């Protein structure tokens, strides 16, 4: 059986994704690993290689599997439609985060199956049954399209992560040089855990994992790390550092194995503030950057999202990382109801902590979150392409044009120039002009984003 797995390109409306970074399609590499031994599998990364029809024609798949987040939902359906237009007999399967939280959004005549939750075992079973010309009833997590619409599938509780095979990175060999996050290129990704013990109201990850924090055996993680060629490695976890004992063991095993890589991972500020010794240990085995959700500059806003951490934790965490010389990818949230005074206070807060890199996401009620249930009736649009954390999908207090002017100023006026230069010095010299040009184009569009709402 020939199986084509597609990582979709986002639509030109969305601003996240390949505009500013590109990560390997880890979900597809996992799904592929489950079927690769018995079948011929190809991964098409449409973000790099937009040759869908040509690939269908040349590879002639029996099955097309498509992944994606909420921003990709329209594109995923369109890809299924293109696959069916090429051959109505091809089996089309969608999976991934949006399929997990909103499977009914894929109730389309072009989508045969929707996989909710972990895909490796479910997809393997789908392929086995398809190969034997059997039906798909009763497969955990598999919703089946029938004449009466999309039929709900059986429950698909999260598996023990150590029972899942390693992702098959050989299938993205041709693309791997292109995966990056800022100066970290080429960049590989590895999953070491899943879920999170916290309960933020804008996040569905703790719900998807059934409220648990699932961890891989550190020895297996080290075994997988040893197989990764890239020097830069990103931990694609929901939250990597939260179990300090596990992370200490992992760092020790990495050191014992003599693996030298440059790591980038997610960490909560309260964990970092509480465990400077752990961060030091990690710095010594190669931790170079931490993605920290600082989120807001006021405790009342942190309480509003049920973050469970404080601005005091944030300041402490920034200090710990700065003292250790670990780079901070500070991630903040902008509330749509911010006034000009809020934006001004936000800018001065950011400047006061002397950051080198920051991203600002507009507070977005993603399907599957508590926040979504609270504010669904206020949505400006339900078009998934606007759910990129840059377009607001909730009404703003400021006129949209003023909101985006203020938002633009967050991106352009919060990082001291000396820090910008220091950060740019990490890039390969030949990449600097293109990276600056990319940011200029991106921020120019950001400033004028209100014009997109004509089509919402
Ligand atoms: C790594 C990561 C990133 C990376 C990029 C990853 C990438 N490939 O583009 C970075 C840090 C850059 C990033 C950025 C963003 N991200 Co992000 N990210 C993640 C994270 C932490 C891990 C993703 C991952 O690799 N998981 C590991 C794989 C193995 O797991 P999986 O995707 O769940 O796949 C399994 C199943 O879903 C299923 N499956 C998946 N696909 C398919 C396909 C088929 C055919 C089948 C059968 C099964 C199947 O099987 C897989 C194996 O079990 C997730 C959280 C999460 N738990 O998913 C958030 C997450 C995906 N990101 C999210 C968001 C919102 C964003 C941003 C928009 C944020 C922003 N402010 O810019 C951007 C946009 C990214 C984009 N590509 O456009 C949200 C998406 C929510 C949503 N409803 O869309 C998530 C879920 C986090 C959250 N807070 O809720 N992200
Ligand atoms: S800490 Fe991060 S992963 Fe955990 S619930 Fe909050 S946003 Fe989600």
């Amino acid at each position: 059986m020939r199986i084509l797995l597609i990582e979709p390109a986002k639509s030109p409306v969305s601003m996240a994704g390949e505009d500013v970074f590109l990560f390997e399609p880890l979900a597809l590499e996992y799904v592929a690993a489950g079927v690769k031994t018995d079948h011929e599998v190809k991964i098409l990364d449409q973000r790099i290689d937009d040759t869908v029809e040509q690939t269908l024609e040349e590879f002639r798949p029996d099955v097309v599997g498509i992944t994606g987040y909420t921003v990709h939902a329209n594109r995923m359906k369109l890809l299924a439609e293109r696959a069916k237009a090429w051959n109505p007999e091809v089996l089309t399967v969608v999976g991934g985060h949006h399929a997990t939280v909103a499977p009914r959004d894929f109730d389309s005549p072009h989508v045969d199956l929707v996989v909710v939750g972990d895909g490796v075992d479910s997809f393997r079973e789908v392929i086995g049954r398809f190969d034997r010309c059997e039906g798909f009833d009763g497969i955990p997590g598999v919703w089946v399209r029938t004449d009466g619409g999309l039929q709900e599938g059986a429950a698909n509780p999260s598996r023990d992560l150590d029972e899942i095979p390693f992702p098959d990175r050989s299938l993205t060999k041709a693309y791997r040089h292109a995966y990056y996050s800022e100066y970290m290129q080429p960049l590989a990704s590895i999953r070491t855990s899943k879920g999170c013990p916290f309960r933020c109201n804008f996040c569905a990850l703790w719900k998807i994992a059934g409220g648990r924090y699932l961890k891989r055996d550190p020895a297996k993680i080290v075994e997988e790390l040893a197989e990764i060629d890239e020097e830069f490695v990103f931990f694609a976890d929901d939250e990597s550092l939260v179990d300090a004992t596990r992370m200490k063991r992992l760092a020790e095993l990495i050191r014992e194995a003599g693996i030298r890589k440059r790591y980038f991972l997610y960490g909560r500020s309260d964990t970092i503030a509480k465990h400077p010794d752990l961060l030091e240990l990690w710095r010594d085995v190669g931790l170079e950057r931490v993605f920290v959700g600082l989120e807001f500059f006021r405790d009342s806003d942190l309480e509003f999202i049920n973050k469970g951490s404080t601005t005091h934790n944030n300041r402490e965490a920034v200090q710990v990382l700065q003292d250790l010389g670990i780079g901070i990818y500070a991630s903040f949230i902008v509330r749509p109801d911010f006034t000009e005074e809020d934006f001004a206070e936000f800018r001065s807060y950011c400047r006061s902590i002397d950051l080198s890199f920051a991203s600002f996401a507009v507070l977005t009620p993603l399907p599957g979150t508590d926040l979504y249930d609270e504010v669904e009736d206020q949505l400006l649009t339900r078009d998934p392409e606007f759910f990129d954390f840059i377009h607001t999908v909730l009404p703003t207090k400021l006129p949209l044009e003023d909101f985006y002017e203020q938002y633009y100023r967050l991106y352009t006026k919060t990082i001291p120039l000396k820090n910008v230069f220091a950060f740019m010095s990490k890039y390969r010299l030949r990449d600097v002009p293109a990276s600056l040009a990319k940011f200029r184009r991106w921020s120019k569009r950001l400033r004028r984003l209100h014009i997109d709402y004509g089509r919402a």
Side-chain angles (χ1 to χ4, degrees), residues 16 32 103 144 152 164 184 199 212-213 236 260 270 290 296 324 370 382 401 451 455:
V144 184
E152 189 167 338
I164 302 173
M184 301 182 124
R199 300 289 180 261
R212 292 181 300 153
Y213 186 56
R260 278 309 301 182
D270 43 3
V290 179
F296 288 114
L324 289 169
D370 290 347
R382 288 173 188 271
E401 191 169 352
I451 61 177
R455 87 183 264 290

Side-chain angles (χ1 to χ4, degrees), residues 189-409:
S189 296
I190 185 170
R191 179 169 71 176
T192 81
S193 67
K194 179 179 170 168
C196 175
F198 292 89
R199 300 289 180 261
C200 302
N201 73 352
F202 64 95
C203 174
L205 298 175
W206 53 273
K207 293 189 183 185
I208 291 175
R212 292 181 300 153
Y213 186 56
L214 304 163
K215 301 168 262 191
R216 288 180 66 191
D217 174 358
K220 289 248 173 121
I221 301 169
V222 172
E223 203 186 309
E224 188 180 327
L225 272 176
E227 290 178 6
I228 292 177
D229 293 333
E230 287 82 358
E231 184 186 11
F232 293 113
V233 177
F234 175 73
F235 283 19
D237 299 323
D238 303 340
E239 163 57 51
S240 300
L241 286 176
V242 76
D243 181 341
T245 314
R246 167 189 101 105
M247 286 307 275
K248 181 163 181 279
R249 178 82 191 122
L250 180 56
E252 287 164 354
L253 289 181
I254 288 174
R255 192 170 47 199
E256 280 166 29
I259 297 173
R260 278 309 301 182
K261 295 200 181 283
R262 299 164 73 181
Y263 302 102
F264 179 20
L265 51 75
Y266 286 103
R268 278 178 61 95
S269 68
D270 43 3
T271 317
I272 296 165
K274 210 160 122 198
H275 300 286
D277 46 336
L278 177 69
L279 272 298
E280 187 174 358
L281 176 63
W282 265 93
R283 193 263 324 260
D284 294 345
V285 297
L287 178 59
E288 184 157 315
R289 268 178 114 189
V290 179
F291 185 113
V292 198
L294 298 179
E295 323 296 21
F296 288 114
F297 57 98
R298 286 190 294 234
D299 284 320
S300 55
D301 289 321
L302 288 169
E303 278 161 32
F304 167 74
I305 58 164
N306 203 25
K307 183 78 189 177
S309 58
T310 61
T311 50
H312 180 67
N313 297 142
N314 289 352
R315 283 204 184 260
E316 280 184 322
V318 168
Q319 196 61 56
V320 166
L321 295 171
Q322 285 173 342
D323 288 350
L324 289 169
I326 298 174
I328 305 172
Y329 185 125
S331 168
F332 290 101
I333 301 177
V334 174
R335 283 180 67 160
D337 56 4
F338 274 174
T339 60
E340 278 190 17
E341 292 71 37
D342 293 325
F343 275 107
E345 208 182 321
F346 207 161
R347 286 194 298 273
S348 51
Y349 171 83
C350 291
R351 278 196 296 267
S352 76
I353 49 178
D354 201 26
L355 295 168
S356 297
F357 191 91
S359 76
F360 301 89
V362 176
L363 182 67
T364 302
L366 285 171
T369 62
D370 290 347
L371 182 65
Y372 188 87
D373 296 339
E374 275 168 42
V375 299
E376 192 185 351
D377 58 339
Q378 297 168 34
L379 289 176
L380 292 176
T381 171
R382 288 173 188 271
D383 184 342
E385 291 175 11
F386 280 69
F387 284 68
D388 59 1
F389 285 64
I390 305 285
H391 288 88
T392 180
V393 294
L394 289 172
T396 51
K397 194 170 266 174
L398 287 171
L400 267 178
E401 191 169 352
D402 299 350
F403 177 83
Y404 279 107
E405 176 62 26
Q406 291 293 330
Y407 189 27
Y408 166 82
R409 292 176 67 187

Side-chain angles (χ1 to χ4, degrees), residues 5 7 10 16-18 21 23-28 30-31 47 65-72 93-98 100-101 115 117-120 123 164 191 194 202-205 234 236-238 266 291 361 366-367 387-390:
L5 299 173
E7 176 78 32
K10 66 174 183 60
E18 55 264 35
F21 47 71
F23 285 56
E24 69 178 287
L26 193 61
L28 294 183
Y30 264 112
V31 170
R47 302 168 303 176
I66 306 159
T67 190
Y69 307 152
T70 297
V71 274
H72 304 113
V93 187
V94 301
H97 189 83
H98 193 72
T100 298
V101 294
V115 175
D118 283 342
V120 181
F123 193 64
I164 302 173
R191 179 169 71 176
K194 179 179 170 168
F202 64 95
C203 174
L205 298 175
F234 175 73
D237 299 323
D238 303 340
Y266 286 103
F291 185 113
L366 285 171
F387 284 68
D388 59 1
F389 285 64
I390 305 285

Side-chain angles (χ1 to χ4, degrees), residues 80-247:
E81 187 175 346
R82 287 163 72 178
K84 288 282 189 194
W86 167 72
N87 177 3
E89 298 302 312
V90 76
L91 182 76
T92 52
V93 187
V94 301
H97 189 83
H98 193 72
T100 298
V101 294
R104 296 231 172 264
D105 284 0
F106 294 99
D107 191 350
S108 141
H110 310 292
V111 175
D112 295 317
L113 304 175
V114 181
V115 175
V116 173
D118 283 342
V120 181
D121 293 344
S122 306
F123 193 64
R124 188 195 291 122
E125 183 62 22
V126 162
I127 297 302
R129 298 236 196 135
F130 191 53
D131 207 13
R132 298 189 299 272
C133 300
E134 293 170 6
F136 302 110
D137 285 351
I139 307 177
V142 176
W143 293 42
V144 184
R145 182 158 186 85
T146 63
D147 292 341
L150 196 59
Q151 200 175 12
E152 189 167 338
N156 188 18
S158 289
R159 309 278 190 296
D160 176 346
L161 297 181
D162 288 324
E163 285 171 8
I164 302 173
F166 289 178
D168 190 333
R169 295 188 176 81
S170 69
L171 294 169
T172 46
K173 201 159 180 242
Y175 305 129
R176 298 195 68 81
H177 65 282
Y179 299 131
Y180 77 101
S181 182
E182 295 77 39
Y183 67 91
M184 301 182 124
Q185 182 174 9
L187 174 71
S189 296
I190 185 170
R191 179 169 71 176
T192 81
S193 67
K194 179 179 170 168
C196 175
F198 292 89
R199 300 289 180 261
C200 302
N201 73 352
F202 64 95
C203 174
L205 298 175
W206 53 273
K207 293 189 183 185
I208 291 175
R212 292 181 300 153
Y213 186 56
L214 304 163
K215 301 168 262 191
R216 288 180 66 191
D217 174 358
K220 289 248 173 121
I221 301 169
V222 172
E223 203 186 309
E224 188 180 327
L225 272 176
E227 290 178 6
I228 292 177
D229 293 333
E230 287 82 358
E231 184 186 11
F232 293 113
V233 177
F234 175 73
F235 283 19
D237 299 323
D238 303 340
E239 163 57 51
S240 300
L241 286 176
V242 76
D243 181 341
T245 314
R246 167 189 101 105
M247 286 307 275

